[in-house]
Amino acid sequence: MSSTLIDSAEVAEGYRAGRTLPLRVELVRQLKRRRTIVMGGILFALPFVLLIAFQVGGGPGGGNNRVNLMDTATLSGANFAAVNLFASAGFLLVIPVALFCGDTVASEAGWSSLRYLLAAPVPRARLLWSKLVVGLGLSLAAMLLLPLVALAVGTAAYGWGPLELPTGGELAAGTAAQRLLVTVAYIFVSQLVTAALAFWLSTRTDAPLGAVGGAVGLTIVGNVLDQVTALGHWRDFLPSHWQYAWLDAVRPRLEWSDMIQGTALSITYALVLFALAFRGFARKDVVS
């Protein structure tokens, strides 16, 4: 039925498939949703929570002879921002990615509004494209929000200064800002697998929680498998194996090799899953 409607609409005066469901309309819809506001509030509050924890606990690294990135949190605003990324990259930043990309199509099906969007008529590829772009955009915004707030909070609490490295030495403030941008960019790319998995599941189910939970669950399984040293080099094929490759960006000399491998693996898996989502949705019998 959808294809017949689209065929007849294409000859109607003024109809342009590329103008249906504009990105700005989808973006406004998603920004107004409660889960977007709640997720943004959590990420905004995290730096304040860590600041209070350090104030109450007397600073990180107490009684530990080994110096790591967490131990440098109170040395400058740049260090505080880097520590916030380190504390959240493994799990917390997975949540908004899975939420924004996994909830998008499944929620429409759950509300029984998906078939009406397609009958508007909005081409299926256009609908998926709009929702994917907005989902990825919100995911990137979430990843930028955390370090920006942390940098502001850390600078107010500990001052503006160089990024003190746990291995010794420091990076000038300008260089540190560039390295933090590299870090955020890599974390975003490394999470494309989670985004693609959540998006694919979202096109296969009418339950948003199933899509989001499935993506988060499989990400956790990947993290667990990466700890199994008996797997040897097979772990190199796990995206989670490279999730902390960005730590090479907070060293005196920027190393790219691990980040390049992690990026290549993540993009490869993501492209396959995105292709499966578009192909499967194009053939799906939408009844909700």
Side-chain angles (χ1 to χ4, degrees):
M1 179 179 70
S2 297
S3 60
T4 303
L5 288 172
I6 292 175
D7 290 340
S8 61
E10 285 177 344
V11 299
E13 183 178 357
Y15 175 79
R16 297 291 185 273
R19 295 180 181 178
T20 56
L21 195 60
L23 291 177
R24 66 180 181 278
V25 174
E26 179 63 20
L27 177 60
V28 170
R29 291 179 68 220
Q30 298 302 326
L31 286 175
K32 290 181 178 179
R33 295 190 58 188
R34 184 179 301 175
R35 49 90 158 157
T36 305
I37 298 173
V38 171
M39 195 71 249
I42 292 173
L43 293 174
F44 184 86
L46 179 62
F48 293 95
V49 173
L50 288 181
L51 177 64
I52 294 172
F54 291 149
Q55 294 292 336
V56 173
N64 191 349
N65 294 326
R66 295 184 59 187
V67 179
N68 54 40
L69 183 61
M70 185 66 73
D71 298 328
T72 67
T74 59
L75 298 181
S76 71
N79 280 93
F80 188 71
V83 165
N84 273 263
L85 286 173
F86 178 77
S88 57
F91 180 73
L92 179 60
L93 289 181
V94 175
I95 304 298
V97 174
L99 184 64
F100 294 141
C101 294
D103 178 68
T104 179
V105 179
S107 61
E108 298 284 359
W111 298 331
S112 298
S113 59
L114 185 57
R115 56 182 173 179
Y116 296 106
L117 280 175
L118 295 176
V122 180
R124 295 191 179 204
R126 174 67 182 179
L127 182 142
L128 287 189
W129 173 252
S130 295
K131 290 188 171 294
L132 176 59
V133 170
V134 171
L136 290 177
L138 290 176
S139 300
L140 179 59
M143 293 185 185
L144 287 171
L145 175 65
L146 177 64
L148 287 175
V149 174
L151 186 61
V153 172
T155 299
Y158 308 118
W160 177 259
L163 178 64
E164 303 288 343
L165 304 177
T167 56
E170 62 183 32
L171 297 175
T175 303
Q178 295 175 6
R179 297 291 183 87
L180 288 176
L181 283 176
V182 170
T183 296
V184 172
Y186 178 77
I187 293 175
F188 174 72
V189 173
S190 67
Q191 292 298 334
L192 284 178
V193 177
T194 301
L197 179 60
F199 190 71
W200 174 63
L201 290 174
S202 185
T203 64
R204 305 297 299 177
T205 179
D206 294 350
L209 185 60
V212 176
V216 173
L218 288 176
T219 300
I220 294 174
V221 170
N223 290 335
V224 172
L225 289 177
D226 187 51
Q227 303 302 314
V228 182
T229 56
L231 291 176
H233 292 297
W234 287 104
R235 294 185 300 165
D236 294 346
F237 295 96
L238 296 172
S240 57
H241 185 68
W242 307 99
Q243 66 178 339
Y244 286 108
W246 63 267
L247 288 172
D248 289 341
V250 290
R251 302 184 189 277
R253 181 182 177 184
L254 181 60
E255 298 288 342
W256 292 101
S257 58
D258 285 353
M259 285 192 284
I260 290 174
Q261 292 186 65
T263 297
L265 188 67
S266 180
I267 291 177
T268 299
Y269 284 151
L271 288 177
V272 171
L273 289 168
F274 284 141
L276 288 175
F278 276 83
R279 183 176 183 272
F281 192 72
R283 304 179 178 186
K284 183 178 180 179
D285 184 16
V286 178
V287 295
S288 56

